[in-house]
Amino acid sequence: MSNNGQLQLPKTLMPIILIGIVLIIFLSKSTVTIDAGEAGVLWKRFDGGVVINEDPLGEGFHIVAPWNTVIVYEVRQQELFEKMKVLSSNGLDIILETSSWYMPRPQDLGKLHQEKGENYLERVIKPTLRSAARSVVGRYTPEQLYASKRDVIQSEIYDEAKKILDGQYIELNEVLVRDVTLPATIKDAIERKLKQEQESLEYEFRLVTAAKEAQKQIIEAKGKADANKILSASLTDKILQDKGIEATLELAKSPNSKVVIVGSSKDGLPLILGNN
């Protein structure tokens, strides 16, 4: 303790304290923790800059030289929502809403950082998707886009964009067309046209059904007529008499009182009188 009452540390402790402070600063600058779904690109100040010939730093705790830097990237699948105005084949404005699923390739993260930078979404992905969307939509009319081509343009946008992004160290997993908005006047005209086409198809169906039903009735009538002709040709007087006698005998078995005169009618069939 000094003469004035202040506490003084031994001179031998001062170097230790200074070394401890430097060590704490060194460790704080040298430790990096990379969270789940992330990877780190190492930049060496005195040894060639961005490391591209080694895998990026994975999840967990890492110690690096304090004069080097680690740039952390998210390597999970990410979603980009885009709402853009594009032109159809006849020059009409179409509002296209898309969702794109993408992720940087972890094995190429160093090259991505060196050539594109952390802002690769704005520099590479968005321009590519917009260009592909304009190119694809420009091949179709509003009617095709509205009616049945959504799955087709979705696939074509994906194919065109993927060809470009594959060479930019980015993996494009999917492109989804969420909505296609046409000008109101065009949409109304298309809906009227589709309604008229549906009504026309329904009318044609009714006509075909009616024609088939008429043909069916003609065939049935012809069949009955042919059957009657065959039956008439086969019914001789002798057969009719035998049938009449059989019917008379069956009738005579009933409990009702009656008089049966055999052979009294003009066609030789039994004559039944007094049926009560």
Side-chain angles (χ1 to χ4, degrees), residues 7-22:
L7 179 64
Q8 291 184 345
L9 296 174
K11 293 182 179 180
T12 56
L13 290 179
M14 293 300 296
I16 298 175
I17 294 174
L18 290 175
I19 291 173
I21 293 173
V22 171

Side-chain angles (χ1 to χ4, degrees), residues 46-112:
F46 305 113
D47 191 16
V50 177
V51 176
I52 60 175
N53 56 357
E54 298 178 9
D55 291 336
L57 302 179
E59 300 172 5
F61 180 80
H62 301 272
I63 297 178
V64 298
W67 50 84
N68 295 335
T69 303
V70 176
I71 302 92
V72 178
Y73 280 81
E74 183 174 3
V75 292
R76 294 188 185 97
Q77 177 174 278
Q78 301 166 64
E79 181 181 20
L80 170 64
F81 173 75
E82 281 278 85
K83 185 175 183 180
M84 64 192 87
K85 181 182 290 187
V86 294
L87 298 179
S88 64
S89 61
N90 53 2
L92 293 175
D93 288 336
I94 308 295
I95 303 299
L96 191 68
E97 296 183 16
T98 64
S99 285
S100 303
W101 298 343
Y102 70 94
M103 58 190 295
R105 291 179 180 168
Q107 67 272 21
D108 294 323
L109 207 54
K111 295 178 181 178
L112 176 67

Side-chain angles (χ1 to χ4, degrees), residues 202-262:
E202 184 179 351
Y203 179 70
E204 290 179 3
F205 176 76
R206 289 201 301 266
L207 289 179
V208 171
T209 302
K212 289 182 178 179
E213 183 63 27
Q215 185 66 24
K216 177 183 176 182
Q217 293 177 359
I218 291 173
I219 294 173
E220 290 178 352
K222 187 176 183 302
K224 290 179 181 179
D226 292 342
N228 290 335
K229 289 179 181 179
I230 295 171
L231 182 61
S232 297
S234 64
L235 292 178
T236 63
D237 292 341
K238 180 62 176 174
I239 292 176
L240 290 174
Q241 289 177 357
D242 291 342
K243 293 294 183 182
I245 292 171
E246 292 176 1
T248 302
L249 292 176
E250 290 296 327
L251 184 61
K253 296 176 183 179
S254 67
N256 297 329
S257 60
K258 58 189 71 66
V259 177
V260 179
I261 303 172
V262 179

Side-chain angles (χ1 to χ4, degrees), residues 5-6 14 27 73 78 98 104 141 143-144 146 148 157 170 180 199 201 210 245 251 254 263 268 274-275:
Q6 293 181 346
M14 293 300 296
L27 289 176
Y73 280 81
Q78 301 166 64
T98 64
T141 64
E143 291 83 355
Q144 292 173 320
Y146 183 82
S148 60
I157 292 173
I170 298 166
V180 178
E199 290 174 349
L201 291 173
I245 292 171
L251 184 61
S254 67
N275 190 14

Side-chain angles (χ1 to χ4, degrees), residues 158-173:
Y158 170 78
D159 290 340
E160 289 202 13
K162 185 172 177 60
K163 289 178 183 177
I164 298 174
L165 294 179
D166 279 348
Q168 305 296 322
Y169 319 116
I170 298 166
E171 188 69 36
L172 182 64
N173 295 332

